[in-house]
Amino acid sequence: MCVFMAIDTKLSEDGRKYGAENTCTSDSALSKAAMSYSSARTDIERERENLLKYLGTQVAEPFRAMVVGTPLEDARRH
């Protein structure tokens, strides 16, 4: 999965560069597609980061506090 993410990131960066550098062809379908892909990739990455923050603060931290705060019973007594 990491290889695909690296390819996706590289494609996004190259698309952004292509769209920005080819100002004389800014009306071309390829330039628009490259910029759209790059913009969408940036939005998706931002949303992924927000989701991970939310999961950390709303799920992982409360769960960790629950586990750490709960004393374990001594199984040998029962």
Side-chain angles (χ1 to χ4, degrees):
M1 186 92 175
C2 242
V3 172
F4 294 118
M5 290 177 70
I7 292 170
D8 188 40
T9 300
K10 178 70 172 144
L11 183 61
S12 176
E13 290 170 358
D14 289 349
R16 186 179 313 118
K17 288 178 190 175
Y18 177 83
E21 290 173 359
N22 292 300
T23 55
C24 61
T25 60
S26 62
D27 290 335
S28 77
L30 186 57
S31 290
K32 288 179 181 178
M35 290 299 287
S36 292
Y37 178 79
S38 178
S39 175
R41 172 76 165 67
T42 301
D43 291 344
I44 289 170
E45 192 60 31
R46 186 179 317 115
E47 289 299 322
R48 185 184 71 81
E49 289 173 5
N50 289 340
L51 176 64
L52 290 176
K53 285 180 193 174
Y54 179 78
L55 287 174
T57 59
Q58 300 296 318
V59 177
E61 288 177 13
F63 184 67
R64 186 179 301 115
M66 232 174 35
V67 169
V68 171
T70 305
L72 298 176
E73 288 186 36
D74 188 352
R76 293 175 289 182
R77 289 186 185 177
H78 297 289

